[in-house]
Amino acid sequence: MNILLCCSAGMSTSLLVTKMEESAKKQGVECHIWAVGSTEVNNEIDKADVILLGPQVRYLLSKLQEAGKKREFLSQPSIRCSMDYVMVKKC
């Protein structure tokens, strides 16, 4: 599974990427997780199975939903609670 995180500059998601990689490893899940800034997301979208948006780039949601129609995503991109993102909650 390829998981793409997007925030304003791709830097605030670095901690989240690390936490997600640790969790995936503990659970035996093979995945590639990376973060990009909002200006790079269009170049990376075709490599991703899952796209997570940081709350500061929620304005990209409609554009990514439109781009997602061209791919066979299981579900359309959506925004989760900002606090889940900030707190790096364990699911």
Side-chain angles (χ1 to χ4, degrees), residues 23-56:
S23 180
K25 185 176 180 179
K26 285 180 187 176
Q27 296 178 47
V29 175
E30 289 188 36
C31 58
H32 172 63
I33 307 169
W34 75 107
V36 298
S38 59
T39 59
E40 303 164 52
V41 70
N42 288 328
N43 298 329
E44 301 288 323
I45 193 170
D46 287 333
K47 301 173 192 168
D49 299 311
V50 176
I51 301 169
L52 302 176
L53 298 178
Q56 70 272 37

Side-chain angles (χ1 to χ4, degrees), residues 3-33:
I3 303 171
L4 171 63
L5 283 71
C6 176
C7 68
S8 291
M11 295 174 9
S12 65
T13 50
S14 62
L15 175 61
L16 186 56
V17 168
T18 301
K19 294 287 187 184
M20 289 175 66
E21 288 173 335
E22 290 172 1
S23 180
K25 185 176 180 179
K26 285 180 187 176
Q27 296 178 47
V29 175
E30 289 188 36
C31 58
H32 172 63
I33 307 169

